[in-house]
Amino acid sequence: MNGHGRFASLAAVEEAQPTSLLAPFLHQARPGDPGFVGRGAELRALRDFLLRATARGAALVVSGQAGAGKSALLEAAVQAARVDGMRVLRCTGIRGSDPPELSGLLQIIWPVLANWSGSAHPTVDLVSPTDPTDEASPTALPWTDDDVCDAVDLDAAYLDALFRVLVDGAPAPGGGDSWLAFTVLEVLAAVSQAGQPLLVAVDDWDALDEPSRRVLTFVARRAQGHPLALLLTTRPHTTPPHTAAQDSTPPHLATGLPTLPLSPLSPAESARLLASRRPDLAAETARELLATAAGNPLALLELPVPSEDARPSMPGSSDRLAAAMAPGVAGLPPGTRDLLLVAALHPEADLPLLLSAASLLAGAELDFAVLDPAERAGLVVFDGRRTRFGHPAMAGAVIHGTVARRCRAAHAALAAVLPAGSVRMLWHRSQAAEGHDPELAARLEALHGDTLEQCEPAMAVRLLRRAADLHRSPADQGRCALRAAQLAQLLGLERMTRTMAHRALRHPLGPLGTLCARVLISIEHADGRQPTASVSVRRGTPEAGAAPARRTAPARRVLDGPGSAVPNPTDPACWPTPVGADEQENALELARITAPVLVGDDERSEALLAFLDAMPERADDSRWLHSMAMVRPLDRAGTVLAGMPVDRHLTDLPVRDIERLGQAAMLAGDPVRAMDLFRQAERRRFHARPDQLPWALLRQGLAHLGMGSWAQAEHAFRRCVKLADSAYRQDHHAAAARLLLDVVRALRTGTAARPRSARDLAAARRSMPAIDTVLAVCTAWALVEGGDYASAFPALSSLLRAPRTRSLALFALVAFAEAAKAEQGSPEALAMLDRLETELGAQCPAVVALRFTVARAVLADEHDAQEMFKRAFGEDLTRWPYLEAPLRLAEGKWLRLRRQFADSQATLRQAAAAFTMLGSEARAPRIAEELRASGERADSAALGASRPATARDLLAARELRIAELAARGLSNREIGEQLGLAPRTIGAYLYRIFPQLGVTSRAQLAETLRELTDPPAP
């Protein structure tokens, strides 16, 4: 029979919206919602199963954890079977109960027996092949008693004996299970052959009574040969090995049957499902739910939004989720329930500690035996040290419905057994406390900094929030609430930011604290770790997404209520002078939060600089340096870089300050220092949270881009795209990374980048406000790499003239000099350099001055070139290969024009090696032309001294190994991973290897190594 078009409703559910038949089983799907997210392969497998079953019989076990979607897939298969003309018999197991023997079989066989016996049956699930969408379709069996007997074609005495066994509880003939199993098989086979194929659908097979499971397994193994389909759903067997011998139930009665496993949804699929069914969630709430749900569809839909006001703290769940994941918890021994409660409140603890806390809670000594019932129920797994819940959402499910008094007692028990003074001990103690406790509040407030260093930023916010609750003084409450709001804003916790800022305003704050709280409330968007230029503040700033406008008349004060006027929180000219340590902290936080909003507003930027200059005692604070670099990256570049701490002092700084310093260094034009700081922060594992990694990788890629390390920049951007695509609402980081990947490819190949859509640019701006300038500078730079100097020269000139783009355009200063030299525009370019150096003055940092020195050498004429090259090469260029490469290329061209051909060839080979190390591919053909113009021939090695017999005569062992790997096409990073070296070290090796072998590209390297390894015979 041709299977095309049969069971088409399964394909419809996969590819489009859920059909009306399935809407009740898909959690009240809304118009436009996807059907089964991430279950396309499973739906196709079910369709293939039904096709096989109708032809020759088949059985299938759908296996998955609680909430994985087994019941929904079963219902989809049932509906598809009915639409296609199959009869359906079904039953459902009930978890958390002790079902009577053979009750599962009775559910399945009852429609047949009821029709045969003429008994009344209010609910019958065996239907004829009529359209189930037709409102006129009958709801009762359409067969008469005689029709059933005739159709089934079984002896009446046979059915009567089966009726007595299943309904009356009589013993089976012969006293064993064999008669019952063969009889059920014969009945189902007869029904399947009575006109239409039969589907037996069993939901929660493992929750049926044991005799029913045995019989159904027997039938499933013998379904072939009949138009009979048995579809069973079950959970994976979780009975621990050490208890299996004591359990009368075999490990898995369905062993050997074809199984369709349901794996968790991928992060992208989970995000899609959550966004479609719960679209109004805040970003941080969605991230928490995604982490807790761990790809479980039911958990994604049922987990409650975490409540910040819930006291005491406990993992959340719902009635439906608890019933699915933890049925029968109420029937566990009291000691086991106490152990599960403390484990849910402190899942990181070892089992001995949890037993100690549970013993205090129970008022009696508990031992390891109390864990066994929870293991047998599949709730936890013991790995020899710790107990782990079977799923992250199960912690909330097992304690769902526990009263607050009991939870506080559990928190107190945990606090009593944890190390004194530890973060977790104080946290649990705070959750057990009722009323005010100033001493505990002070300890929580003092501890939040240590919590940040332990990579638990969300816990640090919770500690400050709880400290605000426990303080008795309104001033202390306001201070803690404001600190919590400031830290939450830094972490991108928008809902928490506004909640705590509103709470802080209810208490007395200083003038700057009040302004800071108002700014935090007014922030419209906070993507990532800080507000961006697309952030709008409701008072006195442009709307979201609008370009910052120059102010003609400052709005010094704004109304904040009837007849009242308060300072504009985003106008530094209105900010009062900070008095006291608390107000200085508020001043720096206010500067940090508002600096991105002030970019491009000259008047307010100058006011912010004046405000910061009035706080010289805080000039070493990362917020002071970052805010200054944000609004005036060039004018204050020298001050910013001079304020950077030396490496040996970084261990004393919080990781968030190190990362902020890295941003400031990048803004001030020193990508090497920025990269060092970013790596320091990564080594301290501040970015252990997955939602922060895309942001970090994007900045590291930018630092590599500024250093000219294009291959490493490409690697960082690729990792950013991969992580951002798998995270929730990180599309803005992915969009920015994809745009930058296109630009890096353009730089490496010297080709034009792909056109960018307005949608991609808008998303990328949320992640990186300066993305347009970065793209413009890199696109013009790529023109230089590709040799299109005529287009590159005016483009870079325009970018260097514009104040808004000048700081980033300085990264391409040497490329600008190359384009000017090629286009006979050296005088104009030198005048541009003079003007820029004059504007920078004493604030010009050493790294920017180095670019000016190299650019002047590239632009030098015949008379000054030797002196300029000598001065440029006299600088330390070891950490600046992207400056040394064009410098050597320019010198090689100059030496050729002076007819110093041997020196020119050696210098040009060094330039080729340097560009190869940077990942540049477009320069090789032009450098090869320069080498040919200098007199080098392909067989030039034969014109001089005889070539060594092997490559070992030219290269050391490690150099030879690196050369061989590079010749095979491996990147610097891949070679480094094999040899345990950094990619930069591999690049340095290749920089020395290329001139020794007389090659300028990796393609030439492979050919040369073959020649040197197998030299021609004489």
Side-chain angles (χ1 to χ4, degrees):
M1 181 182 295
N2 187 357
H4 294 293
R6 299 197 61 195
F7 307 109
S9 61
L10 290 176
V13 171
E14 171 196 355
E15 296 169 2
Q17 300 175 13
T19 65
S20 59
L21 290 172
L22 295 181
F25 308 101
L26 295 180
H27 314 288
Q28 289 74 46
R30 303 170 185 173
D33 283 352
F36 281 90
V37 175
R39 297 300 187 209
E42 288 80 1
L43 289 166
R44 290 190 293 273
L46 287 176
R47 182 173 182 269
D48 293 341
F49 158 71
L50 291 177
L51 289 171
R52 290 195 309 272
T54 55
R56 59 183 181 275
L60 182 67
V61 178
V62 180
S63 175
Q65 298 290 348
K70 304 183 298 296
S71 298
L73 287 171
L74 181 79
E75 190 63 37
V78 167
Q79 298 291 355
R82 283 174 168 168
V83 170
D84 208 62
M86 295 183 71
R87 294 191 176 96
V88 178
L89 291 169
R90 60 191 308 177
C91 73
T92 301
I94 301 177
R95 299 192 182 277
S97 65
D98 186 13
E101 288 193 358
L102 300 178
S103 58
L105 277 180
L106 182 59
Q107 290 184 62
I108 294 175
I109 302 298
W110 175 248
V112 179
L113 296 178
N115 279 279
W116 168 81
S117 64
S119 303
H121 43 83
T123 301
V124 177
D125 204 13
L126 183 64
V127 300
S128 62
T130 55
D131 186 358
T133 63
D134 186 358
E135 295 181 359
S137 295
T139 58
L141 272 171
W143 299 341
T144 66
D145 299 346
D146 292 337
D147 291 336
V148 174
C149 296
D150 294 341
V152 173
D153 193 21
L154 287 173
D155 186 83
Y158 208 62
L159 290 175
D160 182 66
L162 182 61
F163 186 95
R164 288 198 306 271
V165 170
L166 295 181
V167 178
D168 299 335
D177 292 339
S178 299
W179 180 89
L180 180 61
F182 278 105
T183 300
V184 171
L185 174 61
E186 188 173 350
V187 169
L188 295 179
V191 172
S192 69
Q193 294 169 352
Q196 292 83 27
L198 174 66
L199 170 63
V200 177
V202 182
D203 200 7
D204 288 333
W205 168 88
D206 53 317
L208 296 177
D209 60 283
E210 184 179 343
S212 295
R213 295 203 307 270
R214 291 183 184 277
V215 171
L216 288 174
T217 303
F218 177 88
V219 174
R221 291 189 174 122
R222 291 159 178 80
Q224 288 191 358
H226 311 284
L228 174 63
L230 271 85
L231 183 60
L232 320 175
T233 70
T234 182
R235 296 184 185 179
H237 188 70
T238 55
T239 300
H242 67 276
T243 62
Q246 307 168 8
D247 196 342
S248 61
T249 303
H252 205 303
L253 291 172
T255 301
L257 293 177
T259 301
L260 176 64
L262 295 186
S263 57
L265 299 179
S266 69
E269 292 165 346
S270 298
R272 179 184 165 203
L273 177 62
L274 192 65
S276 66
R277 305 292 168 80
R278 305 174 73 174
D280 299 327
L281 292 175
E284 69 270 21
T285 301
R287 285 193 290 268
E288 291 180 33
L289 295 182
L290 286 168
T292 305
N296 186 286
L298 182 63
L300 285 168
L301 301 178
E302 287 291 324
L303 279 171
V305 173
S307 173
E308 302 297 343
D309 295 319
R311 294 290 178 270
S313 173
M314 59 184 294
S317 189
S318 69
D319 292 341
R320 183 181 181 192
L321 190 59
M325 288 196 163
V329 168
L332 295 176
T336 302
R337 296 201 302 272
D338 290 336
L339 180 62
L340 290 174
L341 176 57
V342 295
L345 297 179
H346 193 50
E348 303 88 2
D350 295 343
L351 181 58
L353 186 144
L354 293 177
L355 285 172
S356 299
S359 298
L360 287 177
L361 183 62
E365 189 69 24
L366 302 178
D367 58 20
F368 286 85
V370 300
L371 182 63
D372 290 342
E375 282 193 287
R376 284 196 297 270
L379 300 176
V380 296
V381 176
F382 180 53
D383 61 8
R385 179 185 173 190
R386 293 180 177 177
T387 58
R388 294 182 295 101
F389 286 101
H391 186 275
M394 198 171 285
V398 298
I399 64 172
H400 181 64
T402 305
V403 297
R405 178 179 56 80
R406 191 65 176 170
C407 281
R408 278 194 293 271
H411 280 294
L414 285 166
V417 298
L418 285 165
S422 65
V423 172
R424 293 294 175 179
M425 175 266 178
L426 290 174
W427 168 249
H428 287 297
R429 181 180 162 189
S430 73
Q431 294 305 302
E434 295 185 78
H436 297 297
D437 190 338
E439 182 270 335
L440 178 57
R443 295 183 67 181
L444 294 177
E445 188 177 1
L447 198 63
H448 88 277
D450 295 337
T451 309
L452 280 177
E453 291 308 296
Q454 296 173 16
C455 300
E456 296 183 88
M459 174 58 77
V461 177
R462 289 197 289 268
L463 288 175
L464 287 170
R465 180 189 177 108
R466 187 62 179 140
D469 295 333
L470 294 172
H471 270 301
R472 181 173 285 109
S473 165
D476 293 335
Q477 292 176 350
R479 182 187 67 253
C480 288
L482 183 58
R483 293 287 176 267
Q486 292 163 349
L487 182 56
Q489 188 273 336
L490 179 65
L491 298 172
L493 307 178
E494 301 173 17
R495 177 167 48 87
M496 177 72 83
T497 299
R498 292 188 178 89
T499 299
M500 296 311 297
H502 278 293
R503 178 175 296 188
L505 285 175
R506 301 192 200 116
H507 304 289
L509 301 171
L512 288 168
T514 301
L515 292 175
C516 190
R518 293 183 185 278
V519 168
L520 290 171
I521 291 172
S522 302
I523 291 177
E524 300 281 353
H525 303 282
D527 294 301
R529 302 277 304 286
Q530 62 176 22
T532 66
S534 63
V535 171
S536 75
V537 180
R538 296 189 181 101
R539 299 183 178 93
T541 58
E543 292 184 0
R550 293 181 181 274
R551 295 177 52 196
T552 56
R556 295 300 181 192
R557 306 180 75 82
V558 295
L559 291 179
D560 188 56
S564 65
V566 297
N568 183 351
T570 62
D571 188 354
C574 301
W575 297 351
T577 302
V579 177
D582 285 346
E583 280 291 87
Q584 283 198 343
E585 279 294 307
N586 292 331
L588 291 172
E589 284 294 314
L590 191 57
R592 175 187 67 80
I593 296 166
T594 58
V597 183
L598 304 184
V599 173
D601 189 326
D602 291 342
E603 186 174 354
R604 288 194 291 174
S605 294
E606 289 297 331
L608 179 60
L609 291 177
F611 182 80
L612 293 173
D613 287 337
M615 302 172 60
E617 68 279 7
R618 304 303 296 267
D620 59 345
D621 191 286
S622 65
R623 292 165 293 184
W624 192 92
L625 295 168
H626 181 266
S627 299
M628 191 167 284
M630 179 71 71
V631 296
R632 284 291 185 267
L634 287 181
D635 297 353
R636 298 299 183 96
T639 301
V640 170
L641 294 176
M644 295 282 169
V646 295
D647 288 345
R648 65 177 179 273
H649 293 154
L650 290 178
T651 55
D652 301 328
L653 289 177
V655 181
R656 65 188 186 281
D657 289 343
I658 296 175
E659 191 169 55
R660 198 178 292 130
L661 289 171
Q663 290 182 273
M666 191 68 190
L667 290 167
D670 192 343
V672 171
R673 181 61 173 151
M675 180 56 65
D676 290 342
L677 290 163
F678 285 138
R679 284 174 173 166
Q680 283 272 359
E682 192 171 15
R683 280 194 291 269
R684 299 266 292 274
R685 297 187 305 169
F686 183 68
H687 296 302
R689 292 176 59 193
D691 61 300
Q692 294 177 355
L693 280 173
W695 185 95
L697 290 170
L698 195 60
R699 268 61 188 180
Q700 288 192 24
L702 280 177
H704 282 305
L705 195 60
M707 294 161 59
S709 302
W710 297 330
Q712 296 189 49
E714 187 173 22
H715 178 75
F717 292 141
R718 286 186 186 279
R719 288 182 61 201
C720 176
V721 169
K722 182 178 179 180
L723 288 173
D725 281 342
S726 62
Y728 185 77
R729 292 185 178 177
Q730 300 286 332
D731 58 303
H732 52 303
H733 294 318
R738 286 192 177 94
L739 292 178
L740 292 171
L741 270 174
D742 290 342
V743 169
V744 171
R745 294 190 195 100
L747 284 167
R748 296 184 67 174
T749 61
T751 57
R754 292 183 298 178
R756 302 139 195 156
S757 69
R759 180 178 179 181
D760 289 341
L761 279 173
R765 290 188 190 108
R766 293 168 46 217
S767 173
M768 187 184 302
I771 187 70
D772 295 276
T773 303
V774 173
L775 295 176
V777 171
C778 291
T779 300
W781 193 344
L783 294 174
V784 176
E785 296 299 314
D788 187 0
Y789 303 116
S791 301
F793 181 45
L796 288 171
S797 298
S798 174
L799 292 168
L800 286 167
R801 288 194 191 96
R804 296 284 300 278
T805 59
R806 183 179 301 155
S807 61
L808 289 177
L810 283 176
F811 284 101
L813 192 63
V814 176
F816 164 72
E818 290 184 283
K821 183 76 171 180
E823 290 299 305
Q824 308 300 318
S826 295
E828 181 183 346
L830 287 170
M832 173 78 76
L833 297 185
D834 292 338
R835 184 165 59 254
L836 290 173
E837 284 189 294
T838 301
E839 291 180 7
L840 291 173
Q843 284 288 327
C844 183
V847 61
V848 179
L850 183 59
R851 290 186 211 134
F852 278 105
T853 301
V854 174
R856 289 186 181 278
V858 171
L859 290 168
D861 58 19
E862 176 68 23
H863 304 290
D864 300 331
Q866 186 170 3
E867 180 62 28
M868 297 302 295
F869 282 125
K870 181 179 179 181
R871 182 184 303 173
F873 282 114
E875 301 285 349
D876 183 9
L877 299 175
T878 55
R879 300 198 70 180
W880 305 100
Y882 85 106
L883 296 179
E884 184 179 2
L887 182 63
R888 291 203 178 275
L889 179 58
E891 185 189 30
K893 293 179 180 179
W894 174 71
L895 290 171
R896 178 180 62 79
L897 293 175
R898 297 190 66 185
R899 307 185 67 80
Q900 298 178 14
F901 297 125
D903 292 339
S904 173
Q905 292 172 15
T907 304
L908 288 171
R909 290 194 196 103
Q910 290 177 329
F915 278 115
T916 299
M917 181 184 72
L918 295 174
S920 175
E921 303 170 9
R923 298 269 189 167
R926 298 203 300 279
I927 296 177
E929 292 178 6
E930 288 289 337
L931 283 168
R932 286 193 293 271
S934 68
E936 181 175 86
R937 296 166 53 189
D939 58 348
S940 59
L943 301 177
S946 61
R947 173 176 281 179
T950 67
R952 297 183 184 276
D953 298 322
L954 286 174
L955 304 176
R958 172 158 284 184
E959 290 176 333
L960 179 60
R961 178 60 176 158
I962 292 174
E964 290 171 345
L965 293 173
R968 285 163 46 189
L970 273 69
S971 67
N972 291 359
R973 183 175 294 276
E974 292 169 336
I975 297 172
E977 290 174 352
Q978 288 199 20
L979 302 182
L981 299 173
R984 184 182 292 276
T985 304
I986 300 300
Y989 271 106
L990 292 174
Y991 180 78
R992 296 193 299 267
I993 291 170
F994 275 37
Q996 292 181 65
L997 299 181
V999 299
T1000 60
S1001 69
R1002 295 192 183 218
Q1004 294 176 354
L1005 179 63
E1007 182 179 353
T1008 302
L1009 282 179
R1010 282 195 299 270
E1011 294 175 0
L1012 293 176
T1013 304
D1014 302 312

